[in-house]
Short mmCIF file of all heavy atoms in Angstrom, two decimals:
data_model
loop_
_atom_site.label_atom_id
_atom_site.label_comp_id
_atom_site.label_asym_id
_atom_site.label_seq_id
_atom_site.Cartn_x
_atom_site.Cartn_y
_atom_site.Cartn_z
N SER A 885 97.03 -196.43 -53.02
CA SER A 885 95.54 -196.81 -52.85
C SER A 885 94.98 -196.25 -51.53
O SER A 885 93.75 -195.93 -51.47
CB SER A 885 95.43 -198.33 -52.89
OG SER A 885 96.01 -198.93 -51.72
N PHE A 886 95.77 -196.09 -50.45
CA PHE A 886 95.32 -195.44 -49.31
C PHE A 886 95.05 -193.98 -49.42
O PHE A 886 94.05 -193.45 -48.99
CB PHE A 886 96.39 -195.74 -48.08
CG PHE A 886 95.95 -195.09 -46.78
CD1 PHE A 886 95.02 -195.70 -46.04
CD2 PHE A 886 96.63 -193.93 -46.39
CE1 PHE A 886 94.60 -195.02 -44.88
CE2 PHE A 886 96.26 -193.35 -45.07
CZ PHE A 886 95.21 -193.96 -44.40
N VAL A 887 95.88 -193.26 -50.15
CA VAL A 887 95.69 -191.92 -50.44
C VAL A 887 94.54 -191.58 -51.27
O VAL A 887 93.75 -190.65 -51.05
CB VAL A 887 96.99 -191.27 -50.87
CG1 VAL A 887 96.87 -189.78 -51.40
CG2 VAL A 887 98.10 -191.27 -49.79
N PHE A 888 94.53 -192.33 -52.45
CA PHE A 888 93.49 -191.98 -53.41
C PHE A 888 92.14 -192.59 -53.03
O PHE A 888 91.16 -192.26 -53.70
CB PHE A 888 93.96 -192.35 -54.81
CG PHE A 888 95.08 -191.53 -55.36
CD1 PHE A 888 96.14 -192.12 -55.80
CD2 PHE A 888 94.95 -190.14 -55.41
CE1 PHE A 888 97.26 -191.46 -56.21
CE2 PHE A 888 96.02 -189.49 -55.98
CZ PHE A 888 97.14 -190.01 -56.33
N LYS A 889 92.07 -193.49 -52.23
CA LYS A 889 90.68 -194.22 -51.72
C LYS A 889 90.07 -195.07 -52.85
O LYS A 889 89.55 -195.90 -52.52
CB LYS A 889 89.74 -193.16 -51.13
CG LYS A 889 90.25 -192.45 -50.00
CD LYS A 889 90.40 -193.23 -48.78
CE LYS A 889 90.87 -192.39 -47.66
NZ LYS A 889 91.67 -192.96 -46.67
N GLU A 890 90.17 -194.66 -54.05
CA GLU A 890 89.50 -195.37 -55.06
C GLU A 890 90.64 -195.89 -56.17
O GLU A 890 91.62 -195.07 -56.22
CB GLU A 890 88.41 -194.71 -55.77
CG GLU A 890 88.76 -193.55 -56.74
CD GLU A 890 88.94 -192.27 -56.01
OE1 GLU A 890 88.57 -192.14 -54.86
OE2 GLU A 890 89.50 -191.30 -56.61
N GLY A 891 90.32 -196.84 -56.86
CA GLY A 891 91.33 -197.31 -57.87
C GLY A 891 91.46 -196.28 -58.91
O GLY A 891 90.49 -195.99 -59.66
N VAL A 892 92.58 -195.74 -59.11
CA VAL A 892 92.71 -194.82 -60.09
C VAL A 892 93.64 -195.29 -61.19
O VAL A 892 94.80 -195.88 -60.88
CB VAL A 892 93.38 -193.44 -59.66
CG1 VAL A 892 93.69 -192.48 -60.77
CG2 VAL A 892 92.42 -192.84 -58.56
N ASP A 893 93.23 -195.29 -62.44
CA ASP A 893 94.09 -195.89 -63.57
C ASP A 893 95.29 -194.94 -63.80
O ASP A 893 94.97 -193.74 -63.83
CB ASP A 893 93.19 -195.98 -64.76
CG ASP A 893 93.95 -196.69 -65.98
OD1 ASP A 893 94.83 -197.36 -65.61
OD2 ASP A 893 93.51 -196.50 -67.02
N ALA A 894 96.44 -195.57 -63.92
CA ALA A 894 97.67 -194.68 -64.16
C ALA A 894 97.47 -193.85 -65.41
O ALA A 894 98.15 -192.87 -65.54
CB ALA A 894 98.78 -195.71 -64.17
N HIS A 895 96.77 -194.30 -66.42
CA HIS A 895 96.67 -193.65 -67.60
C HIS A 895 95.60 -192.56 -67.69
O HIS A 895 95.64 -191.65 -68.50
CB HIS A 895 96.39 -194.62 -68.88
CG HIS A 895 97.45 -195.76 -68.95
ND1 HIS A 895 98.71 -195.35 -69.39
CD2 HIS A 895 97.50 -197.07 -68.73
CE1 HIS A 895 99.42 -196.45 -69.49
NE2 HIS A 895 98.67 -197.51 -68.98
N ALA A 896 94.77 -192.64 -66.65
CA ALA A 896 93.61 -191.61 -66.65
C ALA A 896 93.85 -190.63 -65.52
O ALA A 896 92.85 -189.99 -65.00
CB ALA A 896 92.26 -192.40 -66.51
N MET A 897 95.03 -190.53 -64.97
CA MET A 897 95.25 -189.56 -63.84
C MET A 897 95.38 -188.23 -64.41
O MET A 897 95.87 -187.94 -65.45
CB MET A 897 96.53 -189.96 -63.22
CG MET A 897 96.53 -191.20 -62.39
SD MET A 897 98.14 -191.43 -61.56
CE MET A 897 97.65 -192.16 -59.97
N SER A 898 94.95 -187.25 -63.47
CA SER A 898 95.15 -185.86 -63.88
C SER A 898 96.65 -185.43 -63.49
O SER A 898 97.38 -186.25 -62.89
CB SER A 898 94.12 -185.03 -62.92
OG SER A 898 94.44 -185.19 -61.57
N ALA A 899 96.93 -184.28 -63.79
CA ALA A 899 98.27 -183.81 -63.59
C ALA A 899 98.54 -183.75 -62.07
O ALA A 899 99.62 -183.99 -61.53
CB ALA A 899 98.50 -182.47 -64.17
N ARG A 900 97.47 -183.33 -61.30
CA ARG A 900 97.63 -183.19 -59.78
C ARG A 900 97.82 -184.54 -59.18
O ARG A 900 98.76 -184.75 -58.32
CB ARG A 900 96.41 -182.47 -59.25
CG ARG A 900 96.47 -182.34 -57.71
CD ARG A 900 95.23 -181.70 -57.19
NE ARG A 900 95.30 -181.34 -55.79
CZ ARG A 900 94.85 -182.12 -54.90
NH1 ARG A 900 94.22 -183.29 -55.25
NH2 ARG A 900 94.93 -181.91 -53.68
N GLN A 901 97.02 -185.48 -59.69
CA GLN A 901 97.18 -186.97 -59.10
C GLN A 901 98.51 -187.50 -59.51
O GLN A 901 99.09 -188.23 -58.76
CB GLN A 901 96.01 -187.82 -59.62
CG GLN A 901 94.67 -187.54 -59.05
CD GLN A 901 93.61 -188.29 -59.60
OE1 GLN A 901 93.63 -188.71 -60.82
NE2 GLN A 901 92.61 -188.60 -58.93
N ASN A 902 98.96 -187.13 -60.63
CA ASN A 902 100.27 -187.68 -61.07
C ASN A 902 101.46 -187.06 -60.18
O ASN A 902 102.40 -187.82 -59.82
CB ASN A 902 100.51 -187.37 -62.50
CG ASN A 902 101.65 -188.26 -63.20
OD1 ASN A 902 101.89 -189.37 -62.58
ND2 ASN A 902 102.18 -187.88 -64.26
N MET A 903 101.32 -185.81 -59.95
CA MET A 903 102.32 -185.16 -59.09
C MET A 903 102.25 -185.79 -57.56
O MET A 903 103.26 -185.99 -57.11
CB MET A 903 102.05 -183.64 -58.96
CG MET A 903 102.39 -183.01 -60.28
SD MET A 903 104.09 -183.14 -60.89
CE MET A 903 104.96 -182.29 -59.63
N ILE A 904 101.04 -186.10 -57.09
CA ILE A 904 100.90 -186.73 -55.88
C ILE A 904 101.48 -188.05 -55.80
O ILE A 904 102.25 -188.55 -54.84
CB ILE A 904 99.52 -186.79 -55.44
CG1 ILE A 904 98.94 -185.25 -55.08
CG2 ILE A 904 99.31 -187.66 -54.09
CD1 ILE A 904 97.42 -185.28 -54.81
N ARG A 905 101.38 -188.81 -56.90
CA ARG A 905 101.92 -190.13 -57.08
C ARG A 905 103.48 -190.10 -57.03
O ARG A 905 104.15 -190.90 -56.49
CB ARG A 905 101.36 -190.78 -58.39
CG ARG A 905 101.94 -192.21 -58.68
CD ARG A 905 101.13 -192.69 -59.84
NE ARG A 905 101.51 -194.00 -60.11
CZ ARG A 905 102.09 -194.41 -61.27
NH1 ARG A 905 102.24 -193.57 -62.27
NH2 ARG A 905 102.36 -195.70 -61.41
N ILE A 906 104.04 -189.11 -57.82
CA ILE A 906 105.45 -189.01 -57.81
C ILE A 906 105.97 -188.60 -56.41
O ILE A 906 107.03 -189.13 -56.02
CB ILE A 906 105.91 -187.95 -58.88
CG1 ILE A 906 105.67 -188.41 -60.22
CG2 ILE A 906 107.41 -187.60 -58.78
CD1 ILE A 906 105.83 -187.36 -61.35
N ALA A 907 105.32 -187.68 -55.74
CA ALA A 907 105.71 -187.41 -54.32
C ALA A 907 105.63 -188.61 -53.40
O ALA A 907 106.51 -188.83 -52.52
CB ALA A 907 104.82 -186.19 -53.83
N ILE A 908 104.55 -189.39 -53.42
CA ILE A 908 104.44 -190.57 -52.68
C ILE A 908 105.68 -191.45 -52.95
O ILE A 908 106.35 -192.02 -52.06
CB ILE A 908 103.19 -191.24 -52.93
CG1 ILE A 908 102.01 -190.46 -52.34
CG2 ILE A 908 103.07 -192.67 -52.23
CD1 ILE A 908 100.59 -190.90 -52.71
N ARG A 909 105.96 -191.73 -54.16
CA ARG A 909 107.07 -192.71 -54.54
C ARG A 909 108.30 -192.17 -54.07
O ARG A 909 109.24 -192.86 -53.56
CB ARG A 909 107.10 -193.01 -55.94
CG ARG A 909 105.81 -193.82 -56.29
CD ARG A 909 105.75 -194.13 -57.79
NE ARG A 909 104.64 -194.94 -58.07
CZ ARG A 909 104.72 -196.27 -58.25
NH1 ARG A 909 105.79 -196.89 -58.29
NH2 ARG A 909 103.61 -196.93 -58.46
N THR A 910 108.55 -190.81 -54.17
CA THR A 910 109.88 -190.25 -53.60
C THR A 910 109.96 -190.31 -52.14
O THR A 910 111.00 -190.67 -51.60
CB THR A 910 109.84 -188.74 -54.16
OG1 THR A 910 109.80 -188.65 -55.52
CG2 THR A 910 111.13 -188.04 -53.63
N VAL A 911 108.82 -190.03 -51.44
CA VAL A 911 108.93 -190.08 -49.95
C VAL A 911 109.18 -191.56 -49.44
O VAL A 911 109.85 -191.75 -48.47
CB VAL A 911 107.50 -189.47 -49.35
CG1 VAL A 911 107.32 -189.78 -47.89
CG2 VAL A 911 107.45 -188.12 -49.65
N VAL A 912 108.50 -192.58 -50.06
CA VAL A 912 108.71 -193.87 -49.76
C VAL A 912 110.18 -194.25 -49.89
O VAL A 912 110.82 -194.93 -49.09
CB VAL A 912 107.80 -194.87 -50.49
CG1 VAL A 912 108.23 -196.27 -50.37
CG2 VAL A 912 106.30 -194.67 -50.04
N SER A 913 110.70 -193.89 -51.04
CA SER A 913 112.11 -194.20 -51.29
C SER A 913 113.09 -193.52 -50.32
O SER A 913 114.12 -194.09 -49.88
CB SER A 913 112.47 -193.78 -52.79
OG SER A 913 111.73 -194.47 -53.71
N VAL A 914 112.78 -192.28 -50.03
CA VAL A 914 113.74 -191.54 -48.95
C VAL A 914 113.50 -192.21 -47.63
O VAL A 914 114.57 -192.34 -46.95
CB VAL A 914 113.28 -190.01 -49.00
CG1 VAL A 914 113.91 -189.30 -47.79
CG2 VAL A 914 113.61 -189.35 -50.32
N CYS A 915 112.36 -192.61 -47.32
CA CYS A 915 112.22 -193.29 -45.98
C CYS A 915 112.90 -194.63 -45.96
O CYS A 915 113.60 -194.89 -44.87
CB CYS A 915 110.78 -193.52 -45.58
SG CYS A 915 109.75 -192.10 -45.23
N ILE A 916 112.86 -195.34 -46.99
CA ILE A 916 113.70 -196.69 -46.98
C ILE A 916 115.19 -196.30 -46.97
O ILE A 916 115.96 -196.98 -46.28
CB ILE A 916 113.26 -197.42 -48.27
CG1 ILE A 916 111.87 -197.93 -48.17
CG2 ILE A 916 114.28 -198.60 -48.57
CD1 ILE A 916 111.35 -198.57 -49.34
N PHE A 917 115.57 -195.21 -47.70
CA PHE A 917 117.08 -194.84 -47.56
C PHE A 917 117.40 -194.52 -46.20
O PHE A 917 118.52 -194.91 -45.79
CB PHE A 917 117.29 -193.71 -48.60
CG PHE A 917 118.58 -193.11 -48.55
CD1 PHE A 917 119.73 -193.94 -49.08
CD2 PHE A 917 118.87 -192.09 -47.92
CE1 PHE A 917 121.03 -193.40 -49.03
CE2 PHE A 917 120.08 -191.51 -47.89
CZ PHE A 917 121.29 -192.08 -48.34
N LEU A 918 116.59 -193.68 -45.53
CA LEU A 918 116.91 -193.23 -44.15
C LEU A 918 116.95 -194.40 -43.22
O LEU A 918 117.79 -194.43 -42.29
CB LEU A 918 115.89 -192.15 -43.75
CG LEU A 918 115.93 -190.86 -44.46
CD1 LEU A 918 114.87 -189.91 -43.96
CD2 LEU A 918 117.32 -190.22 -44.21
N VAL A 919 116.06 -195.43 -43.29
CA VAL A 919 116.05 -196.53 -42.42
C VAL A 919 117.35 -197.29 -42.73
O VAL A 919 118.00 -197.78 -41.74
CB VAL A 919 114.85 -197.48 -42.75
CG1 VAL A 919 115.02 -198.82 -42.05
CG2 VAL A 919 113.58 -196.77 -42.11
N ALA A 920 117.78 -197.43 -43.95
CA ALA A 920 118.96 -198.21 -44.28
C ALA A 920 120.20 -197.54 -43.82
O ALA A 920 121.22 -198.17 -43.39
CB ALA A 920 119.08 -198.46 -45.80
N MET A 921 120.15 -196.24 -43.73
CA MET A 921 121.35 -195.40 -43.29
C MET A 921 121.50 -195.37 -41.77
O MET A 921 122.56 -195.62 -41.25
CB MET A 921 121.27 -193.92 -43.74
CG MET A 921 121.40 -193.72 -45.27
SD MET A 921 123.16 -194.25 -45.70
CE MET A 921 124.07 -192.84 -44.97
N PHE A 922 120.33 -195.32 -41.00
CA PHE A 922 120.50 -195.11 -39.61
C PHE A 922 120.21 -196.50 -38.78
O PHE A 922 120.45 -196.47 -37.60
CB PHE A 922 119.39 -194.10 -39.14
CG PHE A 922 119.81 -192.74 -39.68
CD1 PHE A 922 118.98 -192.07 -40.59
CD2 PHE A 922 121.00 -192.05 -39.25
CE1 PHE A 922 119.40 -190.80 -41.05
CE2 PHE A 922 121.46 -190.93 -39.80
CZ PHE A 922 120.62 -190.18 -40.72
N TYR A 923 119.74 -197.49 -39.38
CA TYR A 923 119.46 -198.73 -38.70
C TYR A 923 120.69 -199.60 -38.95
O TYR A 923 120.98 -199.94 -39.96
CB TYR A 923 118.28 -199.46 -39.29
CG TYR A 923 117.79 -200.74 -38.41
CD1 TYR A 923 117.25 -200.56 -37.24
CD2 TYR A 923 118.07 -201.89 -38.95
CE1 TYR A 923 116.90 -201.59 -36.56
CE2 TYR A 923 117.69 -202.93 -38.24
CZ TYR A 923 117.20 -202.80 -37.05
OH TYR A 923 116.83 -203.97 -36.38
N PRO A 924 121.40 -199.93 -37.70
CA PRO A 924 122.60 -200.71 -37.94
C PRO A 924 122.27 -202.13 -38.39
O PRO A 924 121.31 -202.75 -37.93
CB PRO A 924 123.24 -200.72 -36.52
CG PRO A 924 122.20 -200.36 -35.63
CD PRO A 924 121.11 -199.54 -36.40
N ASN A 925 123.02 -202.74 -39.19
CA ASN A 925 122.93 -204.02 -39.79
C ASN A 925 121.64 -204.21 -40.51
O ASN A 925 121.06 -205.32 -40.44
CB ASN A 925 122.99 -205.15 -38.59
CG ASN A 925 124.36 -205.05 -37.98
OD1 ASN A 925 125.38 -204.74 -38.55
ND2 ASN A 925 124.42 -205.23 -36.74
N PHE A 926 121.17 -203.26 -41.18
CA PHE A 926 120.01 -203.25 -41.98
C PHE A 926 120.09 -204.42 -43.09
O PHE A 926 119.00 -205.12 -43.29
CB PHE A 926 119.74 -201.93 -42.61
CG PHE A 926 118.39 -201.90 -43.43
CD1 PHE A 926 117.23 -201.95 -42.76
CD2 PHE A 926 118.35 -201.84 -44.71
CE1 PHE A 926 116.05 -201.90 -43.51
CE2 PHE A 926 117.31 -201.82 -45.46
CZ PHE A 926 116.09 -201.78 -44.84
N GLU A 927 121.25 -204.49 -43.58
CA GLU A 927 121.41 -205.57 -44.65
C GLU A 927 121.23 -206.98 -44.11
O GLU A 927 120.82 -207.88 -44.78
CB GLU A 927 122.79 -205.36 -45.38
CG GLU A 927 123.90 -205.73 -44.56
CD GLU A 927 124.44 -204.63 -43.65
OE1 GLU A 927 123.97 -203.50 -43.64
OE2 GLU A 927 125.42 -204.88 -42.85
N SER A 928 121.61 -207.15 -42.85
CA SER A 928 121.47 -208.45 -42.25
C SER A 928 120.01 -208.79 -42.09
O SER A 928 119.47 -209.92 -42.29
CB SER A 928 122.12 -208.56 -40.97
OG SER A 928 123.54 -208.26 -41.07
N VAL A 929 119.12 -207.83 -41.68
CA VAL A 929 117.77 -207.99 -41.51
C VAL A 929 117.03 -208.28 -42.87
O VAL A 929 116.27 -209.23 -42.96
CB VAL A 929 117.14 -206.77 -40.78
CG1 VAL A 929 115.60 -206.84 -40.76
CG2 VAL A 929 117.68 -206.54 -39.45
N THR A 930 117.46 -207.63 -43.81
CA THR A 930 116.80 -207.76 -45.10
C THR A 930 117.26 -209.09 -45.72
O THR A 930 116.45 -209.79 -46.35
CB THR A 930 117.18 -206.61 -46.08
OG1 THR A 930 118.49 -206.50 -46.21
CG2 THR A 930 116.50 -205.38 -45.66
N ALA A 931 118.55 -209.41 -45.47
CA ALA A 931 118.96 -210.80 -45.98
C ALA A 931 118.21 -211.98 -45.23
O ALA A 931 117.83 -212.94 -45.84
CB ALA A 931 120.44 -210.98 -45.78
N PHE A 932 117.94 -211.84 -44.03
CA PHE A 932 117.27 -212.74 -43.25
C PHE A 932 115.75 -212.98 -43.72
O PHE A 932 115.24 -213.97 -43.85
CB PHE A 932 117.30 -212.51 -41.69
CG PHE A 932 116.43 -213.38 -40.85
CD1 PHE A 932 116.88 -214.65 -40.62
CD2 PHE A 932 115.18 -213.03 -40.42
CE1 PHE A 932 116.08 -215.59 -39.96
CE2 PHE A 932 114.46 -213.86 -39.59
CZ PHE A 932 114.83 -215.17 -39.39
#
């Protein structure tokens, strides 16, 4: 929603918007993975 600025329906997206959406989801997942790998005791923080 921050990137697209307006509410874009998932079914009415163009191919370019769909690729951006996939890239955003991949980057968010990779960032979460990197934080989990490099932050010591990440599981304790998430459990708390």
Side-chain angles (χ1 to χ4, degrees):
S885 69
F886 179 73
V887 169
F888 291 126
K889 302 287 188 216
E890 72 271 351
V892 177
D893 185 21
H895 299 292
M897 287 184 149
S898 67
R900 182 176 182 270
Q901 289 175 330
N902 200 19
M903 292 302 291
I904 292 171
R905 184 173 180 236
I906 291 170
I908 288 171
R909 290 177 180 262
T910 303
V911 168
V912 168
S913 296
V914 168
C915 288
I916 291 172
F917 174 74
L918 291 175
V919 168
M921 288 295 293
F922 295 115
Y923 187 74
N925 299 326
F926 181 71
E927 69 277 357
S928 300
V929 173
T930 56
F932 176 74

